[in-house]
Amino acid sequence: MLGPANEDAATDALQAWPGGLHVGGGIKDTNAAEWIGRGAEKVIVTSYLFPDARFSMERLRGMLAALGGDRRKLVVDLSCRRQRCEDGGVKWLVAMDKWQRLTDMEVNADTIVALEPYCSEFLIHAADMEGLQKGIDQDLVRKLGEWCSIPVTYAGGGSSISDLELVEQVANGCVDLTIGSALDIFGGSGVTLEECVEWNQRGSPQTSA
């Protein structure tokens, strides 16, 4: 949502559906409350929390203070890239600047526990999978299902109803999936918005069992 034209479009959307949308892109402590006032249900904070690619707890606390201490209005974006560890395992580091710059924050259980008191939701793009439509990062989705006790939305690689079902299975119903470029309304051919709505209304296997 960076740029005057995008801000105008976002404002129009919020006026069309007040209290129903989240706003992200350039959100910081000086404008967060303004966007809530324009009708956003929540604001999404990303790179503002990482000056010089280093996480700032002071800035996170300032964001929450700017929203009157109401964490229900704040979503923290922890979009990340997969990295190989020296012992052969994997880890995920938060990435910023169009996901090209790695920060000092690892997405793990300790990070989630530390941040949950300050927000109501996490948004996490698996940047290595984003836009490829070649499947989700199952390891990351599984871990998010184990680590998070608040809502979390995963994005990256999802392109079909089967991916929605896989996320439900792998994360035990604790993670939501965003489908982007594969969706018909964005010019994709993987799945239609109508099919996704129908799947959600029908209920996932985890909730209908």
Side-chain angles (χ1 to χ4, degrees):
M1 192 200 59
L2 300 175
N6 288 335
E7 291 186 7
D8 292 342
T11 299
D12 290 343
L14 294 175
Q15 291 175 349
W17 193 10
L21 299 172
H22 300 179
V23 170
I27 300 296
K28 54 186 67 177
D29 59 350
T30 55
N31 64 9
E34 176 185 352
W35 283 105
I36 295 295
R38 292 188 188 187
E41 178 191 14
K42 301 181 184 184
V43 292
I44 306 168
V45 63
T46 53
S47 57
Y48 175 71
L49 299 181
F50 296 90
D52 297 321
R54 295 182 178 277
F55 174 70
S56 170
M57 179 59 78
E58 180 181 359
R59 286 196 173 190
L60 178 57
R61 289 171 176 155
M63 280 290 304
L64 189 59
L67 295 170
D70 189 352
R71 72 187 187 102
R72 295 173 299 176
K73 299 176 181 177
L74 185 61
V75 178
V76 172
D77 184 339
L78 296 178
S79 295
C80 55
R81 286 194 176 276
R82 188 183 183 108
Q83 301 291 300
R84 180 66 63 180
C85 301
E86 293 182 359
D87 62 4
V90 297
K91 63 181 179 180
W92 296 269
L93 294 180
V94 174
M96 57 185 289
D97 295 342
K98 299 180 180 180
W99 305 324
Q100 298 305 303
R101 187 180 184 187
L102 296 178
T103 73
D104 65 341
M105 174 172 277
E106 181 178 346
V107 180
N108 56 28
D110 290 339
T111 294
I112 296 299
V113 169
L115 299 184
E116 282 189 346
Y118 297 91
C119 62
S120 61
E121 187 172 342
F122 292 113
L123 171 63
I124 301 180
H125 291 254
D128 302 292
M129 315 299 290
E130 189 65 38
L132 299 180
Q133 300 182 34
K134 293 184 177 179
I136 64 169
D137 185 333
Q138 292 190 43
D139 295 330
L140 177 57
V141 170
R142 182 178 295 106
K143 290 297 186 182
L144 294 175
E146 295 173 0
W147 296 335
C148 299
S149 64
I150 62 176
V152 53
T153 297
Y154 166 91
S159 63
S160 65
I161 294 298
S162 62
D163 285 323
L164 286 167
E165 294 171 344
L166 180 59
V167 168
E168 283 288 310
Q169 177 185 358
V170 170
N172 198 30
C174 297
V175 175
D176 292 323
L177 171 66
T178 290
I179 297 178
S181 58
L183 200 61
D184 64 330
I185 61 172
F186 300 131
S189 59
V191 65
T192 67
L193 176 62
E194 183 178 353
E195 289 170 337
C196 292
V197 171
E198 180 182 350
W199 185 85
N200 275 289
Q201 291 177 339
R202 185 169 66 244
S204 70
Q206 298 291 339
T207 58
S208 61

